[in-house]
Amino acid sequence: MKILVTGAAGFIGSKLMLMLAKRGDEVVGIDNINDYYDPRLKYGRLQECGIPTPVISEGNNPQEEMEWGKEFQSTTLPNCRFIRMGIDDKPSLDNLFEREHFQKVMNLAAQAGVRYSITNPYAYLQSNLVGFLNILEACRNNGVEHLIYASSSSVYGLNTKVPYSEDDKVVSPVSLYAASKKSNELMAHAYSKLYGFATTGLRFFTVYGPWGRPDMSPMLFANAIREGKPIKVFNNGDMIRDFTYIDDIVEGTIHVIDHKPEAEKCENGVPYKVYNIGCSHPVKLMDFISEIEQAYGKPAEKVFLPMQPGDVYQTNANTEKLEQECGYKPHWSLHEGIAEFMTWYKSDKNPLLK
């Protein structure tokens, strides 16, 4: 199967590209490698896939740029290639689709971060709406049979009923990021109805593990402990999150890639699905911090703060639909996952410690 993975230098995208290529699919990855966070982490992930990348010095300064639009062949996976390209670059994206004839597309490219959307709203409109429209148009114009795309648990917004179900109403977002992700779901449904190709949205819950984003809590907490600085604990620690280990997320995503919605089995005959993908075992924030402290071997100094704009008190996924329809079942416990994360964090593979 020939698959495009967008956001391929991202946390989920890079691991997904690696696992798809290892199982034998022909994979092309694209990513704009922006500077939302330290590009050394993005290049390090690509190197795990055998993609040759520039040397990045401390302070995020590249000694050379990874050339825009140039194709890089993996040195370890003959069926894996990477191109530096953004989904908001419509001419380049259209050319790629016309040239490659993808069967399936996994769209993980997006401007991430709930809090960042408060201060940089236009970045979300360009990537999460204009970029996603470009993906939809490219899919429908080039015979793509199945588009899978990243949505988010943040679409549940002010919902108080837990665990969150795909059948719940999602009309009360509390951030522009969440609103952009719900917009993606609506846009995908319209294209599935109008043009008949299958679309599946994945509402990702909190993902963690090796190579995770530096703006997410595991990396923030580990960095603070290492540097002897206090960690910020929002809502005075009274928060609950459905933390899900990266390997479970990638395995579940591959199950979804392999299960194309069939119109005759979908509501109103539209080949469209949305699934929650999480662990279904929510954890108290303070318990999560305790696991980080134990794995690091050192307690953290804590500063307790109020709830931040755009945050919600609890996320908790009901994943029964994904389990029943696609065979998804998470395996990693929080204790095992944090141990793996911390082993990576302290190792030579972590480019942020160099």
Side-chain angles (χ1 to χ4, degrees), residues 3-78:
I3 304 174
L4 171 67
V5 176
T6 75
F11 179 28
I12 299 173
S14 58
K15 188 65 179 284
L16 178 63
M17 182 168 66
L18 177 65
M19 298 313 296
L20 287 172
K22 281 187 172 181
R23 79 167 189 170
D25 293 309
E26 182 180 353
V27 186
V28 177
I30 65 171
D31 198 295
N32 66 1
I33 314 184
N34 65 25
D35 60 358
Y36 169 63
Y37 59 81
D38 197 323
R40 290 179 296 169
L41 199 55
K42 301 179 182 185
Y43 286 133
R45 294 172 184 147
L46 291 176
Q47 288 167 2
E48 290 290 293
C49 300
I51 304 298
T53 63
V55 176
I56 305 294
S57 62
E58 188 174 356
N60 304 352
N61 298 314
Q63 295 182 4
E64 58 183 84
E65 284 288 342
M66 192 175 214
E67 186 178 340
W68 190 270
K70 182 179 178 181
E71 183 176 296
F72 296 84
Q73 172 65 52
S74 169
T75 58
T76 57
L77 299 163

Side-chain angles (χ1 to χ4, degrees), residues 110 117 159 181 192 276 290 316 331:
S117 70
N159 281 21
K181 287 300 185 179
S192 287
N276 288 335
S290 178
N316 181 0
H331 303 290

Side-chain angles (χ1 to χ4, degrees), residues 155-159 165-172 182 203:
V155 301
Y156 290 105
L158 295 176
N159 281 21
S165 167
E166 295 91 342
D167 297 326
D168 295 340
K169 289 184 178 180
V170 284
V171 294
S172 54
K182 180 55 185 174
R203 291 175 177 169

Side-chain angles (χ1 to χ4, degrees), residues 246-258:
I246 181 64
D247 287 27
D248 282 335
I249 286 288
V250 169
E251 180 183 337
T253 300
I254 291 174
H255 278 298
V256 172
I257 289 172
D258 292 341

Side-chain angles (χ1 to χ4, degrees), residues 55-337:
V55 176
I56 305 294
S57 62
E58 188 174 356
N60 304 352
N61 298 314
Q63 295 182 4
E64 58 183 84
E65 284 288 342
M66 192 175 214
E67 186 178 340
W68 190 270
K70 182 179 178 181
E71 183 176 296
F72 296 84
Q73 172 65 52
S74 169
T75 58
T76 57
L77 299 163
N79 51 333
C80 179
R81 293 172 283 145
F82 177 81
I83 303 167
R84 186 178 182 188
M85 178 190 301
I87 62 172
D88 57 348
D89 181 354
K90 189 176 188 304
S92 296
L93 193 71
D94 288 345
N95 182 268
L96 177 69
F97 272 76
E98 292 167 6
R99 184 173 73 245
E100 296 289 348
H101 306 290
F102 299 112
Q103 295 165 276
K104 301 203 174 187
V105 173
M106 178 71 229
N107 183 55
L108 290 160
Q111 179 57 60
V114 170
R115 292 177 191 138
Y116 189 74
S117 70
I118 304 295
T119 55
N120 297 272
Y122 286 97
Y124 290 79
L125 296 182
Q126 186 64 22
S127 178
N128 299 9
L129 295 181
V130 175
F132 189 64
L133 177 60
N134 291 341
I135 289 288
L136 287 168
E137 279 287 286
C139 286
R140 73 110 166 175
N141 288 324
N142 292 280
V144 172
E145 62 185 59
H146 188 193
L147 166 65
I148 310 93
Y149 60 94
S151 186
S152 168
S153 62
S154 66
V155 301
Y156 290 105
L158 295 176
N159 281 21
T160 56
K161 172 185 158 293
V162 290
Y164 296 147
S165 167
E166 295 91 342
D167 297 326
D168 295 340
K169 289 184 178 180
V170 284
V171 294
S172 54
V174 295
S175 70
L176 184 62
Y177 172 74
S180 73
K181 287 300 185 179
K182 180 55 185 174
S183 297
N184 287 171
E185 294 179 5
L186 296 171
M187 294 163 71
H189 185 277
Y191 268 70
S192 287
K193 171 62 176 174
L194 287 169
Y195 306 113
F197 69 88
T199 61
T200 303
L202 287 173
R203 291 175 177 169
F204 289 106
F205 284 68
T206 309
V207 188
Y208 74 98
W211 297 102
R213 279 172 30 204
D215 61 328
M216 299 294 285
S217 56
M219 193 85 82
L220 291 173
F221 294 164
N223 285 340
I225 294 173
R226 179 176 62 87
E227 297 169 5
K229 297 179 179 178
I231 64 174
K232 296 178 180 179
V233 184
F234 296 113
N235 204 37
N236 298 307
D238 186 19
M239 298 179 79
I240 297 173
R241 289 291 180 268
D242 201 328
F243 291 101
T244 313
Y245 189 64
I246 181 64
D247 287 27
D248 282 335
I249 286 288
V250 169
E251 180 183 337
T253 300
I254 291 174
H255 278 298
V256 172
I257 289 172
D258 292 341
H259 283 77
K260 183 178 75 169
E262 299 176 17
E264 60 273 17
K265 296 180 181 180
C266 296
E267 188 176 356
N268 298 318
V270 180
Y272 167 89
K273 291 280 187 177
V274 172
Y275 295 110
N276 288 335
I277 182 165
C279 188
S280 294
H281 296 288
V283 176
K284 294 180 179 178
L285 178 59
M286 296 307 296
D287 292 339
F288 184 80
I289 293 172
S290 178
E291 286 285 353
I292 293 279
E293 291 173 320
Q294 291 177 39
Y296 197 100
K298 184 179 177 181
E301 181 185 349
K302 304 171 187 71
V303 174
F304 292 93
L305 299 169
M307 184 79 85
Q308 298 296 289
D311 272 354
V312 295
Y313 161 67
Q314 178 173 353
T315 63
N316 181 0
N318 179 335
T319 59
E320 290 180 3
K321 185 177 178 183
L322 184 59
E323 292 171 13
Q324 293 170 359
E325 296 185 7
C326 300
Y328 169 70
K329 192 71 176 177
H331 303 290
W332 285 79
S333 71
L334 181 67
H335 182 74
E336 293 168 331

